[in-house]
Amino acid sequence: MPLSLRSCSISVIEQLLEFLSVKRLVHYVAKWKGITFMTSRQGLGVGGGTPYGFDVGDSERGAVLKGLDLGVEGMRVGGQRLLIVPPELAYGNKGVQEIPPNATIELDVELLAIKQNPFGHQQYIGKVKHAVFHTQKAARKRVVVSTEENVVASLDLRHGEIFWRHVLGSDDVIDQIDIALGKYVISLSSGGSVLRAWNLPDGQMVWESTLLGSKASKPLLLIPTNLKVNRDNVLFVYGNGFIHAVATIDGEVIWKKELASEGFDHFTLSLFFPFILFKTLAEYSFMFCSVDVQQLIYPDGSDTLYAVGLLGLSQFDVYQLDVKSGELLRHYSMLFPTGFSGDLSFVSDDTAVAMDSTGTTLVAIHFQDGQISFHQTDVSQLIQDFSGAAVILPSKIAGSFILKLDSSVVFIKVINEGKLEVVGRLGHADAVSDALSLSDGQQAFSLIQHADGKIILTVKLSNDWTSNVIEETTQMDHQRGLVHKVFINSYVRTDRSNGFRALIVMEDHSLLLLQQGEIVWTREDGLASIMDVKASELPVEKDGVSVAKVEHNLFEWLKGHLLKLKGTLMIATPDDVAAIQKMRLQSSEKSKMTRDRNGFRKLLIVLTRAGKLFALHTGDGRIVWSLLLNTLRKSETCENPRGISLHQWQDPHHHALDENPSVLVVGRCGHTSDSAGVLSIVDTYTGEERNHMGPVHSIAHIIPLPFSDSMEQRLHLLVDANGHAHLYPRSAEALGIFQRELGNIYWYSAETDKNILRGHGVRKNCVLEVSDEFCFDTRDLWSIVFPSESEKIAVTATRSLNEVVHTQAKVTADQEVMYKFISKNLLFLATVAPKAVGPIGSVTPDESSLVVYVIDTVTGRILHRMTHHGSQGPVQAVFSENWVVYHYFNLRAHRYEMSVIEIYDQARADNKEILKLVLGTHNLTSPTRLTPPKSSRSHSLIFSRIL
């Protein structure tokens, strides 16, 4: 058999598909030596099972087998093929799981549908914080994840595609996830208040339970392997001060128990009275507060559930409950006088480790049979060069825990009677996984280290720190940053040994799967948390073509037709098919890197919460380049960096300028407006960082100005928390332009917490200890205070600075000319009744109202005001030319509505002749007076049902 892709078509004569960016939906059965190892024809769905979908060319990105991607080329819907896939188009010389290296496999494929996707569509999930693998042989292998964007999703473990995804509300933060009974995904959210079960194969919600309580507490989820109460499998949840036993099958609460703290009697207080004399009431608040449960423990086969935690910072508590009734069987506790710091780390079902309040002593806590004992060990006794304070890192490694020092991490094992032993020390470890149970009863865990553009994945057994189960090195793109989290999963190789795969969460929030030292697939899930977006024009296609270029294009044209003919006749080799796909990508109009005739083709510059910039092509949605900004990475000078916004910095239109467009990226070194700022200037064509500044002064407001220097760099004012305005770029030319226009610069600020809108202007240079000619004082020009008892600022909108006005007049049906009131100083503002700030339906129509304003930001005049009674937000608004479109919810009609405001200038009402407008005798470019317009029109668009 030759080493090439062969196919036997069962359908009629097929034609080569002549379009790009299509989604193909198939059913397949994958076999090796006649044994089915993977199939989509299982479970429910179309034709029995869940069809598998992929895009043309996904094999180039590692998202699908190359043999499948190339093998379905030319198939028609309903057609079937048997593909004989050689190793180089399958799993290569490394194999995967049960498939050995250099294996030829068979794919029985049926093409169900072809969906053309002209605009592209991507789904992202955000930065993963929990992951649970599901790799049973009878089902499709998947990993279930929850993310910081409050998403629960199921991913195909082989290709990284989304099986299903659910986005929860912004305040419905996911606390934990797990899998129950092998068929339900259990999610706990909202601080332990909401428990849901999702069907594992298709993601349909099976049930939802609301778990009420009296006080906020750390949420915990425990799913025993085989525990039944009244014939129902149960799971346990701790949240809001209560333990709940919940039936797994239907979400019914079987019992609930509040863990009330027991106060100290007079005898106990007298024992510690000498300490109390020298302590404040706050330091001994544990005597009056509730217990903070940190772990639920259920020993397999027992009838007892243990809840273990701390009361305040000094008392260790253990509660024993009957699993069937929730009855409290025993409660015992013990005081640790010097107090604990941080959370407990549980190394077994009866042993925990904590750090004392000084951060210099480790405390091993043993609890069993109603007895509690503390064993203290100074960190300096374990680590000779220790100084300062240590922190216990969160981990779940049987019998061990991890201690973080200033320059290293130390792995410590708990041996008999609470004694501690150092078993390993690393200069650094970027991430450590939880322990994973293996088929032979042992436990393994993994750790990740960085070294010279590579990451080193090491897997060790929990009971053997001297040797490595595996150690694999993988090349890693430095634009992904450091590893933040790692989750591991095992599989049995053909030689019956254990193999491991690692799910890696990177600093840029991307998700990768590593196996056998290779990256199996990647996901750019940082794009789920976008901070700001700016559109950048593509370059104009140059005129003039050389003879050599014409000859080259003619040769490529002939070559392309020959390849297409071979594909149609089914005699094309895999290399020929790959060449056809490459030619389609290059010749596709929508994927060109030049400006189209109508100006629709652009680059979208996207700033994510991870501090990474992406350039996305609007034609096909592909990532042109990406850049992880150093200014937005954690450092000694910037502890908590975060991106704020993007602004157009340079947009050259003059052909003599040999410059690419660029954007200004603004960030802060903290979460408040008085934090130090950081700035970066990035080329939008190449993704190169041209310049960066910071940390600099604080940045409270960013004011793009309608002025540019000779290099077409736009001037910006960055206003700090003290009200000083800083000019950028910091050049003599920019300063000269700014000083000439000083009297024409105005801006506004909306203080939503105070319900005040203010107008500002520039006054003079700042008076500082260190002279700065680019710093200016600001002054308040006007203010509007909205009545807090009836209105609350909801949204503001202004025109874009670079917006093009297509026409300054409108001709009505009776040939009357109406002149648009066009001003860049106009502001749209909407307020809602204070009671209507919550979600839709949280207030009655009589208690709700929406008020909209159009305001001149130079004078503070209200040009237009309208009230929508019985309406509420959320309000979305777009301001363009002389019109505003805003979207809201009408509670009386129970529907969404959109309203439009159009503003016209009556100062030019005497120019009503169309002939003057056409001939240009009327001056439409003269400055618009600041007098308010006397004409505004408003109308609403109504939707028949809720969107």
Side-chain angles (χ1 to χ4, degrees):
M1 182 182 299
L3 293 180
S4 63
L5 179 68
R6 297 192 303 141
S7 67
C8 178
S9 181
I10 306 173
S11 65
V12 298
I13 299 177
E14 301 147 347
Q15 299 176 350
L16 189 63
L17 297 176
E18 294 296 334
F19 52 83
L20 185 66
S21 294
V22 292
K23 171 78 75 175
R24 291 171 177 176
L25 206 63
V26 301
H27 263 318
Y28 69 91
V29 177
K31 296 181 179 181
W32 173 61
K33 291 188 175 180
I35 300 173
T36 299
F37 65 89
M38 184 168 52
T39 179
S40 65
R41 296 185 182 277
Q42 282 185 343
L44 303 176
V46 180
T50 304
Y52 175 65
F54 63 94
D55 290 326
V56 173
D58 267 356
S59 61
E60 300 299 325
R61 298 182 287 275
V64 66
L65 280 184
K66 196 166 186 177
L68 179 59
D69 194 4
L70 302 178
V72 298
E73 185 71 38
M75 289 184 68
R76 284 173 47 181
V77 174
Q80 290 183 317
R81 278 184 181 175
L82 178 63
L83 305 175
I84 311 299
V85 186
E88 61 268 25
L89 300 180
Y91 298 109
N93 57 7
K94 292 190 174 183
V96 58
Q97 298 182 29
E98 61 265 42
I99 307 303
N102 300 315
T104 297
I105 65 173
E106 295 180 4
L107 294 176
D108 187 353
V109 181
E110 179 186 359
L111 185 60
L112 302 176
I114 298 175
K115 299 179 181 179
Q116 191 165 3
N117 190 8
F119 301 108
H121 177 70
Q122 295 290 339
Q123 286 187 325
Y124 301 103
I125 57 176
K127 185 179 182 180
V128 170
K129 59 181 183 180
H130 305 114
V132 183
F133 292 89
H134 186 262
T135 55
Q136 295 179 2
K137 287 187 176 181
R140 300 184 69 176
K141 294 176 174 56
R142 66 184 73 212
V143 57
V144 180
V145 299
S146 70
T147 74
E148 294 180 358
E149 299 300 318
N150 296 342
V151 173
V152 181
S154 174
L155 306 179
D156 186 339
L157 197 55
R158 296 183 182 274
H159 310 293
E161 289 192 342
I162 297 175
F163 283 137
W164 52 262
R165 181 189 73 156
H166 293 288
V167 183
L168 306 185
S170 58
D171 57 347
D172 197 5
V173 178
I174 301 172
D175 305 309
Q176 282 184 262
I177 60 169
D178 207 341
I179 294 177
L181 304 180
K183 59 181 180 179
Y184 296 140
V185 175
I186 307 296
S187 66
L188 181 65
S189 60
S190 295
S193 299
V194 181
L195 187 69
R196 298 181 179 94
W198 315 88
N199 194 35
L200 181 61
D202 58 16
Q204 295 295 318
M205 190 168 73
V206 181
W207 52 259
E208 176 181 295
S209 294
T210 302
L211 309 177
L212 302 177
S214 56
K215 52 188 174 295
S217 59
K218 179 180 179 180
L220 300 172
L221 173 66
L222 174 65
I223 303 180
T225 305
N226 239 337
L227 174 63
K228 290 189 176 183
V229 175
N230 299 329
R231 297 183 179 180
D232 289 329
N233 288 84
V234 298
L235 56 87
F236 300 104
V237 173
Y238 177 72
N240 300 312
F242 284 82
I243 295 180
H244 297 79
V246 182
T248 307
I249 197 70
D250 57 10
E252 180 184 356
V253 177
I254 299 174
W255 56 259
K256 62 183 291 188
K257 178 70 176 179
E258 184 177 15
L259 300 181
S261 59
E262 297 180 1
F264 291 97
D265 55 25
H266 294 288
F267 174 74
T268 306
L269 289 174
S270 66
L271 291 176
F272 292 93
F273 184 73
F275 296 100
I276 297 175
L277 290 176
F278 300 100
K279 300 288 184 177
T280 65
L281 181 62
E283 289 173 291
Y284 273 88
S285 59
F286 66 87
M287 297 179 179
F288 313 101
C289 63
S290 60
V291 66
D292 175 21
V293 175
Q294 299 198 17
Q295 188 84 338
L296 296 177
I297 301 171
Y298 171 72
D300 288 340
S302 73
D303 294 326
T304 305
L305 175 70
Y306 295 84
V308 185
L310 300 175
L311 183 63
L313 298 176
S314 300
Q315 181 173 306
F316 184 83
D317 284 71
V318 180
Y319 295 83
Q320 291 180 227
L321 294 92
D322 187 288
V323 295
K324 295 183 179 179
S325 64
E327 178 187 356
L328 181 62
L329 303 177
R330 179 187 289 182
H331 171 216
Y332 51 101
S333 61
M334 187 171 181
L335 195 70
F336 185 69
T338 59
F340 301 107
S341 65
D343 290 337
L344 301 173
S345 179
F346 290 83
V347 298
S348 68
D349 286 349
D350 56 12
T351 305
V353 179
M355 182 66 68
D356 78 340
S357 58
T358 66
T360 59
T361 302
L362 290 166
V363 184
I365 308 168
H366 184 73
F367 52 96
Q368 192 174 28
D369 299 330
Q371 300 295 319
I372 300 174
S373 62
F374 298 131
H375 188 282
Q376 302 181 53
T377 306
D378 289 339
V379 179
S380 58
Q381 294 179 3
L382 295 172
I383 306 165
Q384 299 300 323
D385 57 347
F386 169 73
S387 62
V391 178
I392 296 177
L393 295 180
S395 63
K396 294 181 181 178
I397 303 175
S400 305
F401 64 96
I402 306 172
L403 193 66
K404 186 179 186 307
L405 309 180
D406 290 337
S407 58
S408 62
V409 291
V410 181
F411 296 85
I412 300 175
K413 188 173 183 178
V414 182
I415 53 181
N416 295 333
E417 299 180 355
K419 293 183 179 180
L420 307 181
E421 177 185 353
V422 175
V423 294
R425 183 173 182 178
L426 297 172
H428 68 281
D430 293 288
V432 180
S433 74
D434 291 340
L436 171 71
S437 297
L438 304 178
S439 57
D440 56 4
Q442 298 190 83
Q443 288 194 334
F445 72 96
S446 68
L447 57 92
I448 297 282
Q449 294 173 279
H450 273 268
D452 299 327
K454 302 175 182 178
I455 60 172
I456 303 171
L457 170 67
T458 305
V459 177
K460 293 177 177 289
L461 295 177
S462 298
N463 59 359
D464 182 10
W465 292 76
T466 59
S467 59
N468 300 330
V469 179
I470 63 167
E471 183 175 279
E472 298 171 347
T473 301
T474 306
Q475 291 286 345
M476 186 60 61
D477 181 3
H478 70 280
Q479 292 296 343
R480 298 194 181 279
L482 302 176
V483 175
H484 277 194
K485 287 189 177 181
V486 57
F487 308 90
I488 62 168
N489 175 245
S490 66
Y491 61 90
V492 180
R493 295 171 173 160
T494 53
D495 60 358
R496 311 310 299 171
S497 64
N498 287 311
F500 296 89
R501 56 174 75 91
L503 190 69
I504 307 292
V505 183
M506 302 298 294
E507 182 181 351
D508 67 343
H509 298 185
S510 60
L511 191 64
L512 300 82
L513 185 72
L514 302 185
Q515 188 168 323
Q516 298 181 351
E518 300 290 340
I519 299 176
V520 180
W521 50 258
T522 62
R523 292 183 52 85
E524 296 290 352
D525 284 311
L527 287 168
S529 50
I530 294 176
M531 304 297 293
D532 201 2
V533 179
K534 280 289 178 288
S536 177
E537 296 286 354
L538 287 167
V540 178
E541 194 166 3
K542 304 293 184 181
D543 294 329
V545 181
S546 65
V547 174
K549 185 175 180 180
V550 172
E551 292 176 346
H552 174 75
N553 289 342
L554 180 60
F555 173 75
E556 291 295 323
W557 179 80
L558 292 172
K559 179 182 175 183
H561 274 271
L562 180 61
L563 288 172
K564 290 178 183 179
L565 180 61
K566 292 175 68 177
T568 304
L569 298 175
M570 302 302 297
I571 59 174
T573 65
D575 291 338
D576 291 338
V577 176
I580 293 172
Q581 292 183 349
K582 184 178 179 180
M583 290 175 63
R584 288 175 179 168
L585 285 170
Q586 292 175 345
S587 63
S588 175
E589 278 292 326
K590 66 180 182 181
S591 63
K592 285 186 176 180
M593 286 297 294
T594 55
R595 196 176 308 176
D596 63 316
R597 183 177 301 175
N598 297 314
F600 294 145
R601 197 160 54 228
K602 299 178 186 292
L603 284 181
L604 293 181
I605 310 302
V606 176
L607 173 64
T608 69
R609 186 162 56 89
K612 191 170 187 177
L613 274 184
F614 291 87
L616 307 179
H617 196 289
T618 59
D620 52 15
R622 74 180 185 276
I623 297 174
V624 179
W625 55 259
S626 61
L627 173 68
L628 186 62
L629 291 165
N630 287 324
T631 53
L632 296 180
R633 299 182 69 184
K634 185 176 181 179
S635 63
E636 293 181 359
T637 57
C638 194
E639 281 290 328
N640 297 296
R642 58 187 296 266
I644 304 174
S645 56
L646 294 173
H647 303 272
Q648 194 68 48
W649 179 257
Q650 187 177 23
D651 191 9
H653 294 287
H654 198 279
H655 295 292
L657 292 177
D658 189 19
E659 294 283 346
N660 291 342
S662 57
V663 291
L664 171 67
V665 185
V666 182
R668 292 193 187 110
C669 293
H671 299 286
T672 58
S673 59
D674 59 352
S675 304
V678 289
L679 308 172
S680 291
I681 299 172
V682 179
D683 188 312
T684 61
Y685 287 174
T686 64
E688 295 180 1
E689 188 176 28
R690 293 183 183 175
N691 192 13
H692 64 271
M693 293 161 276
V696 295
H697 51 80
S698 61
I699 301 174
H701 304 286
I702 303 101
I703 316 297
L705 300 176
F707 315 117
S708 299
D709 62 13
S710 59
M711 297 299 294
E712 300 199 43
Q713 296 179 119
R714 175 166 290 173
L715 274 59
H716 289 74
L717 275 184
L718 273 58
V719 184
D720 64 23
N722 298 318
H724 299 310
H726 302 265
L727 177 66
Y728 291 87
R730 298 171 69 87
S731 65
E733 182 187 4
L735 184 61
I737 296 171
F738 182 78
Q739 289 175 336
R740 287 195 300 270
E741 301 288 346
L742 199 64
N744 298 321
I745 296 174
Y746 307 93
W747 69 92
Y748 77 94
S749 62
E751 301 175 19
T752 55
D753 55 336
K754 298 179 180 179
N755 230 29
I756 299 176
L757 183 71
R758 300 185 190 275
H760 309 279
V762 182
R763 188 167 51 185
K764 59 181 181 180
N765 282 98
C766 303
V767 179
L768 303 172
E769 294 181 2
V770 180
S771 178
D772 184 359
E773 61 180 338
F774 297 97
C775 178
F776 296 84
D777 283 334
T778 61
R779 58 193 174 112
D780 291 345
L781 301 177
W782 54 265
S783 63
I784 301 175
V785 181
F786 297 92
S788 57
E789 65 277 3
S790 60
E791 297 184 50
K792 183 173 179 59
I793 297 176
V795 69
T796 61
T798 58
R799 285 183 54 206
S800 174
L801 279 178
N802 57 356
E803 181 185 63
V804 176
V805 178
H806 298 283
T807 174
Q808 295 195 26
K810 177 180 178 180
V811 181
T812 63
D814 57 358
Q815 296 188 351
E816 180 184 1
V817 179
M818 301 180 64
Y819 296 102
K820 299 176 182 179
F821 186 81
I822 296 174
S823 172
K824 293 183 179 180
N825 300 321
L826 295 187
L827 166 72
F828 171 82
L829 181 141
T831 66
V832 295
K835 291 184 178 180
V837 174
I840 293 173
S842 60
V843 65
T844 64
D846 293 335
E847 297 174 316
S848 179
S849 63
L850 171 70
V851 185
V852 298
Y853 300 84
V854 177
I855 301 171
D856 188 325
T857 58
V858 176
T859 63
R861 288 175 174 171
I862 297 176
L863 308 182
H864 178 79
R865 183 180 185 274
M866 175 178 288
T867 302
H868 298 270
H869 295 287
S871 298
Q872 73 168 118
V875 183
Q876 306 292 337
V878 175
F879 202 144
S880 180
E881 293 193 355
N882 71 319
W883 50 265
V884 185
V885 178
Y886 55 99
H887 180 270
Y888 56 93
F889 190 80
N890 187 328
L891 287 168
R892 295 187 188 278
H894 200 69
R895 65 192 178 198
Y896 285 104
E897 294 181 357
M898 282 201 309
S899 292
V900 183
I901 300 173
E902 296 179 274
I903 308 170
Y904 294 95
D905 187 2
Q906 290 299 302
R908 296 169 177 169
D910 56 333
N911 291 284
K912 296 183 178 181
E913 297 182 13
I914 299 179
L915 186 60
K916 287 185 178 181
L917 179 67
V918 175
L919 297 178
T921 57
H922 175 62
N923 183 13
L924 297 179
T925 61
S926 62
T928 302
R929 291 186 295 176
L930 293 179
T931 55
K934 298 178 182 178
S935 174
S936 61
R937 299 185 177 186
S938 178
H939 61 275
S940 298
L941 306 175
I942 298 171
F943 298 95
S944 60
R945 59 187 176 90
I946 295 178
L947 298 179

